[in-house]
Amino acid sequence: EEVAPAEAFKAEGTKLFQEGRFFDAYKAWKQGADELEGIPVETLSEKARKLKVALCNNAAQALLRCTEVEGASTERARVMAQK
C-alpha cells in the first residue's frame, strides 16, 4: 500500500520522540511526510491524507521541543504545520 513507508517513519518518529530525541523524531516524521508529498492530494486515500496530516503535525510538535536547533521552534515548525 502507498502508505506503508510513511507509516514506518511515523512509528520510528514516535519512538524517538518518546526517548526525548526530538530533532531525530522530526526528521523521521518529515521523511514520512515527504514519502506522500509527490502524490497529488486528490488521489490519496482517506487513510493516507490522515497520515500526512499526523506526520506534519507531529513534525511541527517535535520542532517546538527542539531548543538546540536555531529557528526550529518557530520558522520550521510553522512551515510543517502549514503543509
Side-chain angles (χ1 to χ4, degrees), residues 10-55:
K10 183 175 185 271
E12 179 184 350
T14 299
K15 178 182 171 288
L16 293 166
F17 190 87
Q18 290 170 344
E19 293 173 358
R21 297 172 55 192
F22 303 121
F23 194 67
D24 290 333
Y26 156 74
K27 291 188 292 187
W29 286 327
K30 183 181 182 313
Q31 196 165 356
D34 290 347
E35 288 286 324
L36 300 173
E37 194 67 34
I39 305 169
V41 173
E42 60 274 1
T43 65
L44 289 174
S45 65
E46 183 177 347
K47 179 180 180 179
R49 285 193 306 271
K50 287 181 178 182
L51 178 59
K52 185 173 180 178
V53 168
L55 287 163

Side-chain angles (χ1 to χ4, degrees), residues 1-14:
E1 189 174 340
E2 68 196 15
V3 299
E7 285 178 330
F9 285 117
K10 183 175 185 271
E12 179 184 350
T14 299

